[in-house]
């Protein structure tokens, strides 16, 4: 316990699924956390449960100007932001490339990719003033390999982009003590995944060497490691959490 003592974190998409798990794990490890989401009811409920070291801010991550407000509120509540977890994401519609609606493509990329750019741009100046920080961008195994069953081209494009942006920013700001890493989950038991598959994930689990889907907290343990000083010499890396799916 206490691996994040003194850290101030923003976690997007924190009203359910992996984002909720990240926020809960961070507070348990001593961080002060701003949870953001469009789901105000869920986000406020979780923040209230977590107590005085958590705040909820309603946020549309695709609104660049809103990011400045979130950072300001985090600094006002807790101090300089030293950890950002760009977790918010969507699958989008299931469609082949030639049938994917243009607006749907742009929306998926706005949420999964552009928001990560906005988030990094918003927190980096404060991290520079604070003498460093850690940014964790949640990508996907679909940002590493061609995944059978990936919902659409936009999802794949956005997840590959997350991986590339991570490496670029890691190189640019390493001199400032800012580390940037990406996490690539496989099949995780979240409401979003369950809505897109059979409820128990049995069909998916058969394709995974560990023969099961992961619990969200199994991803959170990796995100915790990257946010903490335990990973002080890691930047620009790709942390794959997929039960061995992509090694086949």
């Amino acid at each position: 316990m206490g691996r994040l003592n003194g850290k101030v974190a923003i976690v997007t998409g924190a009203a359910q699924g992996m984002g909720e798990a990240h926020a809960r794990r961070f507070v348990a490890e001593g961080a002060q956390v701003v949870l953001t989401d469009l789901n105000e009811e869920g986000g406020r409920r979780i923040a209230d449960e977590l107590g005085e070291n958590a705040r909820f801010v309603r946020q549309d991550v695709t609104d660049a100007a809103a990011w400045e407000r979130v950072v300001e509120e985090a600094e006002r509540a807790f101090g300089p932001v030293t950890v950002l977890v760009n977790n918010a994401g969507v699958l989008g519609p299931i469609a082949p490339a030639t049938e994917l609606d243009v607006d749907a493509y742009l929306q998926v990329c706005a949420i999964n990719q552009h928001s990560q750019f906005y988030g990094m741009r918003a927190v980096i100046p404060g991290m520079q003033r604070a003498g460093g920080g850690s940014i964790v961008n949640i990508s996907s195994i679909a940002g590493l390999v061609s995944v059978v069953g990936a919902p659409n081209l936009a999802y794949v494009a956005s997840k590959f982009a997350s991986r590339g942006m991570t490496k670029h920013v890691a190189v640019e700001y390493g001199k400032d003590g800012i580390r940037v890493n990406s996490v690539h989950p496989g099949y995780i038991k979240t409401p979003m995944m369950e809505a897109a598959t059979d409820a128990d994930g049995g069909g998916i689990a058969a394709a995974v060497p560990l023969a099961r889907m992961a619990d969200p907290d199994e991803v959170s343990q990796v995100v915790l490691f990257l946010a903490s000083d335990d990973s002080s010499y890691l930047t620009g890396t790709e942390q794959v959490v997929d039960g061995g799916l992509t090694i086949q």
Side-chain angles (χ1 to χ4, degrees):
M1 305 297 285
R3 294 167 68 188
L4 295 183
N5 284 348
K7 308 287 188 185
V8 175
I10 295 172
V11 179
T12 67
Q16 65 176 14
M18 288 193 295
E20 176 184 351
H22 305 335
R24 290 186 182 279
R25 176 58 56 186
F26 276 25
V27 171
E29 291 287 348
Q32 295 173 299
V33 181
V34 171
L35 300 79
T36 83
D37 207 293
L38 282 174
N39 178 356
E40 187 166 359
E41 180 180 355
R44 289 197 184 281
R45 174 182 56 78
I46 294 164
D48 288 345
E49 289 177 11
L50 292 175
E52 63 182 4
N53 287 324
R55 298 285 189 281
F56 173 77
V57 177
R58 188 181 186 279
Q59 181 191 21
D60 176 356
V61 293
T62 69
D63 181 348
W67 271 100
E68 304 301 328
R69 177 177 59 84
V70 170
V71 171
E72 288 172 3
E73 292 198 25
E75 291 178 343
R76 185 163 51 248
F78 298 127
V81 176
T82 49
V83 176
L84 168 65
V85 183
N86 272 319
N87 171 81
V90 295
L91 292 172
I94 298 174
T98 56
E99 297 175 19
L100 181 62
D101 180 77
V102 171
D103 288 339
Y105 175 92
L106 294 173
Q107 181 68 3
V108 170
C109 288
I111 295 170
N112 293 0
Q113 174 191 349
H114 302 164
S115 72
Q116 295 194 355
F117 159 58
Y118 301 150
M120 290 189 287
R121 186 179 68 167
V123 302
I124 284 172
M127 289 183 175
Q128 289 174 310
R129 292 191 296 271
S134 174
I135 297 171
V136 183
N137 291 324
I138 306 300
S139 179
S140 166
I141 55 172
L144 296 170
V145 298
S146 178
V147 178
V148 175
N152 56 65
L153 174 64
Y155 182 80
V156 173
S158 65
K159 295 304 185 179
F160 265 88
S162 172
R163 172 190 178 195
M165 292 192 302
T166 294
K167 294 181 183 300
H168 182 86
V169 177
V171 171
E172 280 193 330
Y173 294 97
K175 66 183 183 300
D176 298 315
I178 298 171
R179 300 182 297 103
V180 193
N181 294 281
S182 58
V183 175
H184 299 261
Y187 297 124
I188 315 300
K189 289 186 286 188
T190 65
M192 185 169 68
M193 180 60 69
E194 289 174 351
T197 63
D198 53 296
D200 64 0
I204 287 175
V208 179
L210 289 184
R212 63 179 179 85
M213 296 175 71
D215 290 323
D217 194 58
E218 292 180 282
V219 182
S220 297
Q221 294 286 3
V222 177
V223 176
L224 166 64
F225 169 67
L226 294 173
S228 76
D229 295 337
D230 293 343
S231 58
S232 58
Y233 204 58
L234 268 69
T235 196
T237 68
E238 300 158 356
Q239 302 295 316
V240 183
V241 190
D242 71 349
L245 186 63
T246 57
I247 65 175
Q248 302 178 93

